[in-house]
């Protein structure tokens, strides 16, 4: 679809991304999903085309990128129909921004080049077994002891949690509430850190873990920002994370649409192709309508962000719009495929299993509605 927001530079990067996904991910997506992981070598390959560095400071190996370049990256990755690969491969986009924004210069210089080159893996650890989006009430404790913090507690549902080399961890250094929350960079080989791999409904190729911190000693220089400022830094992450999820979900919906169209033209029932049955044509039009509306909303919000606006309410609504579109299109695609849609191996089946993680991750639909209503003054 033509759009006035994309330049020749965006189109050139789209071509690079398309070739990368077509060669390095799509042929292996089913195999990696069944195996429950993908090769670490993929990180270096992604770094080589500039994917990992998008939007990070150039002095650390990053590449200047606007909102539309990030949309291109997210939506081309989605063409493989492998959300687990996308989630873990890009976990640094939520784990490393706080480092780039607020860590000490020597920490940034040591960590970011390793992550952006694909040598090391970065993850964000906020959610706890006793609470998801309620960041202000997290319980993992970091007690100052000389030139170290001693960290005890648990985090769960952590994307790339199994093999992350660097963990950006939300901890409580002070009293109750948001003012007592800080961020620490904890290295993966820290004594006292253990990890439990989790089995999931979808995103099988993405390693997801519960992290256990048993009196882990973390150098005080690994504090990201100031003590008690962690909540603010975490909140700064959310707009970007939700826009990224919205871009991906809209693209996953389009993948379902495209796969359903191709199958409906090929599959014959009652003496004619599925696509010649009115009910199937109507399903496909409904899917296409929702995808087009979601893409238009996404691009308009990206433009507003480029104008330095902060449309928080609309971004929350965008996240819900995209995940609902993905859910609708995945369901309809599987229905159009019939029995074949229930078999593992096609993109629509894989995407159907991944609907709920997107509706939950980054804030549930209910939380998005509550945040949006508050921004609207309700």
């Amino acid at each position: 679809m033509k759009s006035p927001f994309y330049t020749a530079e965006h189109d050139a990067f789209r071509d690079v991304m398309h070739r990368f996904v077509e060669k390095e991910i799509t042929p292996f997506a089913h195999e990696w999903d069944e195996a429950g992981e993908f090769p670490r070598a993929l990180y270096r390959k992604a770094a080589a085309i500039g994917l990992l560095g998008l939007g990070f400071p150039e002095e650390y190996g990053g590449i200047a990128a606007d909102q539309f370049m990030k949309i291109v990256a997210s939506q081309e990755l989605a063409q493989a129909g492998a959300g687990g690969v996308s989630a873990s491969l890009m976990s640094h986009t939520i784990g490393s921004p706080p480092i780039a924004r607020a860590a000490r210069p020597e920490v940034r210089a040591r960590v970011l080049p390793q992550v952006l080159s694909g040598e090391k893996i970065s993850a964000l650890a906020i959610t706890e077994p006793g609470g998801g989006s309620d960041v202000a009430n997290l319980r993992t404790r970091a007690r100052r002891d000389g030139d170290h913090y001693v960290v005890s507690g648990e985090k769960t549902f952590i994307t790339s949690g199994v093999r992350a080399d660097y963990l950006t961890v939300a901890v409580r250094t002070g009293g109750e509430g948001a003012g007592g929350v800080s961020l620490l960079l904890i290295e993966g080989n820290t004594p006292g850190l253990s990890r439990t791999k989790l089995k999931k409904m979808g995103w099988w190729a993405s390693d997801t873990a519960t992290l256990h911190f048993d009196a882990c000693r973390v150098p005080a220089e690994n504090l990201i920002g100031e003590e008690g400022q962690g909540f603010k830094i975490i909140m700064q992450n959310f707009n970007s994370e939700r826009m990224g999820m919205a871009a991906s979900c809209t693209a996953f919906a389009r993948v379902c649409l495209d796969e359903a169209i191709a199958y409906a033209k090929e599959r014959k029932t009652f003496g004619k192709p599925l696509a010649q049955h009115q009910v199937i044509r109507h399903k496909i039009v409904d899917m296409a309508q929702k995808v087009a509306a979601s893409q238009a909303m996404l691009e308009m919000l990206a433009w507003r962000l480029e104008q330095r606006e902060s449309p928080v309410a609309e971004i929350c609504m965008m996240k819900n719009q995209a995940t609902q579109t993905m859910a609708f299109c995945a369901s309809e695609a599987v229905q159009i495929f019939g029995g074949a849609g229930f078999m593992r191996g096609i993109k629509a089946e894989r995407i159907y299993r991944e609907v709920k993680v997107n509706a939950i991750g980054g804030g549930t639909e209910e939380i998005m509605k509550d945040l949006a209503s508050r921004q609207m003054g309700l």
Side-chain angles (χ1 to χ4, degrees):
M1 294 175 62
K2 294 292 184 181
S3 169
F5 296 111
Y6 300 97
T7 66
E9 186 179 2
H10 295 117
D11 292 339
F13 183 62
R14 190 188 304 277
D15 290 340
V16 170
M17 282 294 305
H18 184 81
R19 291 194 298 271
F20 171 75
V21 172
E22 196 172 54
K23 177 183 177 183
E24 302 291 353
I25 300 179
T26 301
F28 314 106
H30 176 64
E31 174 189 337
W32 291 344
D33 219 37
E34 296 293 328
E37 64 180 6
F38 60 88
R40 281 189 72 124
L42 189 64
Y43 289 90
R44 289 185 180 275
K45 292 178 181 179
I49 65 165
L51 174 59
L52 301 191
L54 285 182
F56 285 92
E58 294 181 49
E59 61 191 291
Y60 304 118
I63 299 171
D66 64 6
Q67 293 292 326
F68 296 99
M69 199 69 83
K70 294 176 183 179
I71 288 175
V72 167
S74 295
Q75 299 202 321
E76 286 301 320
L77 274 177
Q79 295 307 305
V85 176
S86 298
S88 271
L89 183 63
M90 304 302 287
S91 64
H92 73 293
T93 60
I94 55 175
S96 289
I99 301 171
R101 189 180 299 121
R104 286 171 169 76
E106 59 272 20
V107 174
R108 293 200 300 268
R110 175 170 59 87
V111 172
L112 290 177
Q114 294 180 319
V115 172
L116 302 184
S117 67
E119 180 183 345
K120 300 289 187 181
I121 298 171
S122 168
L124 180 69
I126 295 177
T127 302
E128 298 185 345
S133 298
D134 191 7
V135 180
N137 289 309
L138 61 85
R139 298 180 179 178
T140 298
R141 174 69 61 177
R143 172 178 56 84
R144 185 68 182 258
D145 182 24
D147 58 359
H148 285 77
Y149 287 94
V150 180
V151 180
S152 296
E154 282 188 325
K155 300 291 179 179
T156 196
F157 310 141
I158 307 306
T159 301
S160 291
V162 175
R163 56 185 181 181
D165 302 289
Y166 295 113
L167 295 156
T168 300
V169 184
V171 296
R172 184 162 301 284
T173 53
E176 297 300 311
V181 176
S182 300
L183 279 178
L184 279 176
L185 177 67
I186 301 180
E187 301 198 20
N189 59 359
T190 300
L193 168 61
S194 59
R195 324 183 198 207
T196 302
K197 188 171 185 176
L198 302 175
K199 293 185 176 182
K200 313 175 294 297
M201 179 190 297
W203 277 10
W204 294 351
S206 167
D207 66 76
T208 307
T210 294
L211 310 178
H212 312 270
F213 301 97
D214 184 9
C216 295
R217 294 186 65 82
V218 180
E221 67 180 23
N222 283 20
L223 180 68
I224 298 174
E226 302 297 326
E227 270 200 16
Q229 297 300 306
F231 186 84
K232 294 179 181 178
I233 299 171
I234 292 166
M235 293 301 108
Q236 291 173 346
N237 246 18
F238 278 134
N239 275 355
S240 176
E241 179 181 3
R242 290 164 184 160
M243 283 292 289
M245 292 185 74
S248 294
C249 290
T250 302
F252 283 127
R254 188 182 297 279
V255 169
C256 290
L257 169 62
D258 291 343
E259 200 171 43
I261 289 173
Y263 185 77
K265 289 179 176 179
E266 174 190 307
R267 170 72 166 155
K268 291 186 177 180
T269 61
F270 303 100
K272 58 183 179 181
L274 269 179
Q276 291 184 17
H277 294 280
Q278 186 183 59
V279 68
I280 300 300
R281 294 202 303 270
H282 287 191
K283 283 180 180 290
I284 288 171
V285 170
D286 285 342
M287 294 164 71
Q289 176 182 316
K290 291 179 184 297
V291 170
S294 296
Q295 187 71 20
M297 185 177 181
L298 174 71
E299 292 177 354
M300 195 64 220
L301 280 175
W303 180 83
R304 290 180 63 185
L305 288 170
E306 286 296 312
Q307 309 312 305
R308 306 294 184 185
E309 294 184 35
S310 184
V312 176
E314 290 87 347
I315 289 173
C316 291
M317 289 186 277
M318 175 74 253
K319 199 253 183 182
N320 280 358
Q321 168 73 18
T323 56
Q324 290 165 8
T325 296
M326 178 183 176
F328 178 84
C329 291
S331 179
E332 292 293 75
V334 169
Q335 190 72 19
I336 289 169
F337 269 87
F342 195 63
M343 299 297 106
R344 297 223 292 256
I346 67 169
K347 293 178 183 179
E349 179 272 334
R350 204 160 50 235
I351 292 170
Y352 186 80
R353 284 190 277 106
E354 297 173 351
V355 164
K356 274 300 174 186
V357 69
N358 290 284
I360 294 169
T364 65
E365 286 191 3
E366 294 78 12
I367 289 173
M368 292 300 95
K369 290 176 183 178
D370 192 54
L371 287 174
S373 66
R374 289 170 186 265
Q375 291 291 319
M376 294 164 65
L378 301 176

